[in-house]
Amino acid sequence: MSDVTRESMEYDVVIVGGGPAGLSAAIRLKQLDPGLDVVLLEKGSEIGAHILSGAVLDPVGLNALIPDWKEKGAPLNVPVREDQFYMLGEAGKLRIPNLPMPPLMNNHGNYIVSMGNVCRWMAEQAEALGVEIFPGMACSELVYGADGEVRGVVAGEFGRNADGTPGPGYEPGMELLGKYVFLGEGVRGSLSKEVIAKYDLAAGHEPQKYGLGMKEIWEVDPEKHHEGRVTHTMGWPLGSNAGGGSFIYHLENNQVYVGFVVHLNYRNPHLYPYMEFQRFKHHPMVAELLKGGKRVAYGARAISEGGWQSMPKMVAPGVALLGCSVGMVNVPRIKGNHNAMLSGKAAAEAAHAALQAGRASDELSDYEKTVRRGPIGQDLKKVRNVKPMWSKWGLTASLGLGGLDMWTNDLLGMSLFGTMKHGKTDAEATELAAQHQPIEYPKPDGTLSFDRLTNVSFSFTNHEESQPAHLKLKNDMVPVMDNLPKYDGPSQRYCPAGVYEFVKDDNGRARFVINFQNCVHCKTCDIKDPAQNINWTVPQGGDGPNYPNM
């Protein structure tokens, strides 16, 4: 709040977000100049608490940043030994041969990892170099300078009452100011969203596209476990209702990552992404793997899927956007962590050069050039048409044409299709409920499939209930007066944590309820709400999920 008086601290670079992008930037800055004052702020209770990813990690980013990562004990313990691709029907499956797959789809040399644990290890490397890391410090506001440049952030505000007024233990937080500010908040970060809007950074670029990724960790029967196996599926249960697919990764200790991604440009508002995931686990192939096992963790997060043509301008005066704040996921590879690391490294190098030249608070244009012209741009440009093909022509056609396009890009450095457009935002893609049939979902059995609230307890999510809800409605009337009659209240289905519900009173009138305590910070509501009426903001620091090994 602008009327609050706060103390301030000055740094050379202020980094928001303790994911692979922010940590890479911090490490690289101190590698280049140990004398730089670098601070990294993370809203989770610890580094890694809010990190959720597949994840099969391409180590190219880590190789560039810390070449001796093996000797330093990085938790990359399970090399990929086997790649499998399946097209699923309701009761059967068809193995897709590996041979015709473009070379970039090969996972040889990659590792099945917990990105939460990789980030915890990266934080140790950063602290050893002298980076100041403050977990549990949500950054709630940007601080602007006299000329409109980003000067810093407000972090560590605690103790507001539910109505927003300061409570008895109120702490106003501090202003952390820097010559440059890096935003590595991940997908749809609240400060990044503000910067993109304020400086019109998305002008001339396609709208960002998103998917919702949901993931469970299972301990399975050792006889069914195949360490290093990577399996991807498409088709059932989504069919023509939505794009998406699954991943099943066998890591160490008889554990398996079971994940499901639903592209958020689906048209039918009756679609229930979480229940599609739960239904998927009843496919005979998956059910046989999980039979006799137990689920030990659950989480969800949005994934940026727009790729090359959706990346906004990445810099504005005093600020640079890193990693998924820009959208650097290679959709067919289902990988973005390597690009996040490379982006953090590139931003650090650009900032270091600027500081050496006596500059501050200007645009780090060299960072953007490095991203677009270097390895990140080359990685994303090759696959730029896969997502729009899938959206326009469906799964079957996009498999053939997308594969052809990736081959020609890889061999010839060109596309027969040019650069295709995405068109509508995911919110705009939602059609009226009357245009679609409701979808009947089987009830979770409590063994393979689970209700949302039970599963959310396995994300170890906690929010202090006396604080203001961090999910803000622009207009309180829209959910009941607009979204419910037109779209059958899709928020009660697209949220993977059961945050939103419509409750009827004794007279049958609906009331919109926000159970913000359940929120796993996936940002889906901010993306998919048809009226764009929900604004996701940060709760007080340390609140949210506490993912163990995601």
Side-chain angles (χ1 to χ4, degrees), residues 400-482:
L401 294 174
L404 172 65
D405 194 53
M406 285 188 281
W407 268 110
T408 58
N409 270 288
D410 198 54
L411 295 175
L412 305 175
M414 58 162 288
S415 170
L416 301 175
F417 300 90
T419 299
M420 297 178 64
K421 296 182 180 298
H422 291 302
K424 296 177 180 178
T425 67
D426 293 333
E428 293 167 341
T430 313
E431 295 178 349
L432 298 175
Q435 296 175 244
H436 297 273
Q437 291 295 318
I439 302 172
E440 294 293 328
Y441 291 98
K443 185 177 179 181
D445 68 356
T447 302
L448 289 177
S449 50
F450 312 96
D451 66 82
R452 274 187 303 189
L453 295 185
T454 298
N455 234 0
V456 167
S457 71
F458 282 78
S459 69
F460 312 103
T461 294
N462 181 65
H463 292 87
E464 171 55 54
E465 297 189 15
S466 64
Q467 68 183 299
H470 63 281
L471 301 155
K472 314 288 188 185
L473 297 181
K474 298 174 186 176
N475 184 329
D476 291 346
M477 302 300 293
V478 164
V480 171
M481 301 302 294
D482 187 74

Side-chain angles (χ1 to χ4, degrees), residues 43 50 137-140 157-158 462-464 467-471 516 519 521 536-544:
K43 66 182 172 66
H50 291 178
M137 295 284 277
C139 298
S140 52
E157 185 179 42
F158 292 90
N462 181 65
H463 292 87
E464 171 55 54
Q467 68 183 299
H470 63 281
L471 301 155
F516 75 89
C519 180
H521 300 193
W536 192 96
T537 65
V538 292
Q540 67 182 24
D543 289 3

Side-chain angles (χ1 to χ4, degrees), residues 9-69:
M9 293 183 66
E10 290 273 357
Y11 292 87
D12 290 306
V13 181
V14 174
I15 301 171
V16 179
L23 287 164
S24 296
I27 289 168
R28 187 60 180 149
L29 283 163
K30 296 295 277 188
Q31 287 174 338
L32 291 165
D33 184 352
L36 288 176
D37 290 323
V38 180
V39 64
L40 184 146
L41 306 159
E42 163 58 37
K43 66 182 172 66
S45 59
E46 63 168 354
I47 296 294
H50 291 178
I51 297 292
L52 185 147
S53 183
V56 171
L57 178 65
D58 182 338
V60 62
L62 207 52
N63 291 340
L65 185 71
I66 308 175
D68 58 345
W69 54 264

